[in-house]
Amino acid sequence: MFNHITVIVNPIAGGKKDKKKLIQLLLAQLSSNGRKVSVRCTTKKGDATLFAREAVDENVNLVVVVGGDGTVNEAGSALVKTGVPIAIIPQGSGNGLARTLRIPADVKSASGLIAAGVVSDIDVGNANRHYFFMLMGVGFDALIGQKFNEYSARGPLPYFYLGAREYFTYQPPRVHLSFANRRVELTPFMITVANAQQFGNNALIAPHAVLNDGLLDICIVNRLRVIDLVAALPKLFTGRIGDFSGVEFHQAAAARLERERADFINIDGEAVLEEAIVDISVLPRSLKVVTPRVCPALAP
């Protein structure tokens, strides 16, 4: 099915672990049956977008991304509405999109999905021209995303350390949120607009989100007391975050966030400095992704 493949590798995804053996294993599997396979390694932010855009121009019919959610977002953003599928070999710190799609972490199993050739169309979120496949957010998660990007270590433990460190001094901004003919003024701990179910590492912020339903799940988390926060964290990993009265969910195809000033937003785990007003919309089934044949996060 796929006879012309570009593999985009982020060599430092998930920490600075040597990926030479991983690439050799992947090439051995992908190069069978006369496929043409090329490998491009990123060295800086934006490379994955450039490489994916060049792959489209070269009539490649599959782009394989070896990396985390940030690399997937970069490459996938160049593939939206092109008809060229993306396959994910998850190697990042959180792997939120891969986990939502039930793509195995094992390289051999993940590349086996490519041989199976099942391709699904998923929705794409758009926030002020920034595509997102998992989520976008404002408030505390955007702040922690900014701090995490600047931090030297990767993985869930540094993320939680930064969250604990910033929690007691964080001052939530005032936000006007408009969606589905409603307009509300809030001072939320954070607002997450989700396309997929999780942040990564199976932290389920929108456990009922469906990747191809043409809707975005809006999760509003009001300020939680420390005791509530401690109780909420385990529920975040069991899909029961909605048990708390301070958390509310809505669905909409579009929304607008109006803040008092420009600030960071969270785009698939990456902090991006953005204008005060953020317009958000969904592009239904605009990205093709190699997936397992059965995936609970996709509607039939």
Side-chain angles (χ1 to χ4, degrees):
M1 180 178 182
F2 306 116
N3 54 27
H4 191 182
I5 300 172
T6 289
V7 180
I8 299 174
V9 181
N10 180 350
I12 61 171
K16 297 182 179 180
K17 185 169 65 175
D18 187 5
K19 293 183 173 57
K20 289 181 181 178
K21 289 184 179 179
L22 182 157
I23 294 170
Q24 290 172 353
L25 173 61
L26 190 57
L27 284 176
Q29 293 191 269
L30 296 181
S31 299
S32 60
N33 301 321
R35 292 189 182 106
K36 180 181 178 181
V37 182
S38 60
V39 177
R40 310 285 302 272
C41 291
T42 64
T43 59
K44 61 184 181 302
K45 189 174 180 63
D47 276 355
T49 300
L50 174 63
F51 297 160
R53 190 175 293 127
E54 290 175 345
V56 173
D57 293 340
E58 294 165 4
N59 296 316
V60 164
N61 55 20
L62 179 68
V63 171
V64 179
V65 175
V66 181
D69 290 312
T71 313
V72 170
N73 179 278
E74 280 196 25
S77 292
L79 302 178
V80 173
K81 294 185 177 180
T82 65
V84 178
I86 186 172
I88 304 169
I89 309 296
Q91 290 291 303
S93 300
N95 303 314
L97 185 59
R99 289 175 188 269
T100 296
L101 288 167
R102 304 291 177 88
I103 295 172
D106 173 68
V107 175
K108 188 174 183 180
S109 299
S111 60
L113 297 178
I114 297 171
V118 176
V119 175
S120 302
D121 295 327
I122 70 168
D123 298 338
V124 174
N126 185 10
N128 280 12
R129 303 168 304 283
H130 300 288
Y131 289 137
F132 61 94
F133 311 125
M134 293 162 37
L135 53 85
M136 71 78 56
V138 299
F140 191 71
D141 67 327
L143 171 67
I144 300 306
Q146 175 200 355
K147 299 295 183 182
F148 187 69
N149 287 349
E150 298 168 352
Y151 203 66
S152 57
R154 302 288 89 184
L157 289 180
Y159 200 89
F160 284 123
Y161 161 73
L162 292 169
R165 189 186 74 181
E166 298 295 328
Y167 173 81
F168 293 100
T169 58
Y170 176 64
Q171 295 296 320
R174 185 171 60 183
V175 176
H176 285 93
L177 171 64
S178 304
F179 64 96
N181 297 319
R182 294 181 59 186
R183 178 178 165 87
V184 293
E185 182 177 344
L186 307 164
T187 308
F189 185 62
M190 66 183 195
I191 298 174
T192 300
V193 181
N195 187 44
Q197 296 174 345
Q198 60 171 283
F199 289 120
N201 291 303
N202 290 321
L204 300 167
I205 188 62
H208 303 297
V210 176
L211 278 163
N212 59 351
D213 62 353
L215 294 169
L216 298 168
D217 287 44
I218 302 170
C219 176
I220 301 169
V221 180
N222 295 306
R223 185 79 188 198
L224 301 175
R225 298 173 301 168
V226 174
I227 190 170
D228 294 327
L229 191 63
V230 171
L233 281 175
K235 293 184 184 296
L236 185 63
F237 292 90
T238 59
R240 296 178 57 197
I241 189 65
D243 288 355
F244 286 88
S245 59
V247 178
E248 56 182 287
F249 292 96
H250 306 276
Q251 284 189 323
R256 168 175 277 202
L257 287 162
E258 300 172 59
R259 303 174 293 175
E260 295 178 334
R261 61 184 180 276
D263 202 347
F264 285 92
I265 63 173
N266 175 5
I267 296 287
D268 285 353
E270 299 292 323
V272 177
L273 184 61
E274 193 47 77
E275 300 167 0
I277 297 176
V278 185
D279 286 311
I280 308 155
S281 59
V282 64
L283 307 175
R285 305 195 181 202
S286 296
L287 180 68
K288 294 184 177 296
V289 185
V290 173
T291 64
R293 193 169 301 278
V294 178
C295 181
L298 294 170

